[in-house]
Amino acid sequence: MSVMAMGLLASCSEEDDAYSYGDFLYELVTYEGSEEGKAVFTYQSYNDSPLVTLTASNVKSVDAPKGQRMLLNYVIEQSLAANDQVVTVKGLAKVNTDTIAVVESSKLDTTKMDPVKVASVWRTGNYLNVRCKVLYTETPRMMSLATTGEVGEDGALQCYQLQDLMGAQPYYWTETYFSYYIEPSISNADCKTLIYNVNDEKGAMKFDFKIRD
């Protein structure tokens, strides 16, 4: 289980205007490190769509480990190929990144699932991404995606959004993103569908994601 804090979108330099308008894009990307003095990011638009590589012309590196998920605001400078682009980074922010946890069912029964406000949930390749609102606290909370790893006869793998405010005083709802690496669990050939279970403020919700036929 991971203790996770909230992230905010930040300008990539003091000179950048975080509120400038133009032909810019937002993507949830994976930081791949630096090559030839330029930061490199990759992303998949939706499900198993082709992997796209973005090379930043104005950012040498990012203070983050390789594999860190980030919300990237950018402008395309040049398309080298259909899935290979040179971009100008306008802003970027670290997104809460974690790997799906495999736990015993008894652990799921005893771990809190404090409510969230779900805005959207989507899969991009081996990542399950969640945009939601959570109650702000002055101290970190435990938030994790967990599964028993057991695939049902129908090919469904159940996973659960866990959250424990850990006794902290909640103040107000704030928007954030979570990105979970799910490959360790969906690599099971019997897994046909991933079902995301979450305790939304309005009640229990389920989201189904096709993994394979």
Side-chain angles (χ1 to χ4, degrees), residues 160-175:
Y160 301 86
Q161 179 66 74
L162 308 182
Q163 182 187 199
D164 186 351
L165 297 181
M166 301 172 69
Q169 171 65 48
Y171 290 97
Y172 52 86
W173 292 98
T174 182
E175 185 175 88

Side-chain angles (χ1 to χ4, degrees), residues 47-48 123 191-194 208-213:
N47 289 341
D48 297 308
R123 181 175 72 86
C191 178
K192 309 299 183 184
T193 306
L194 180 72
D208 296 4
F209 299 94
K210 180 181 177 182
I211 303 301
R212 56 179 60 84
D213 294 324

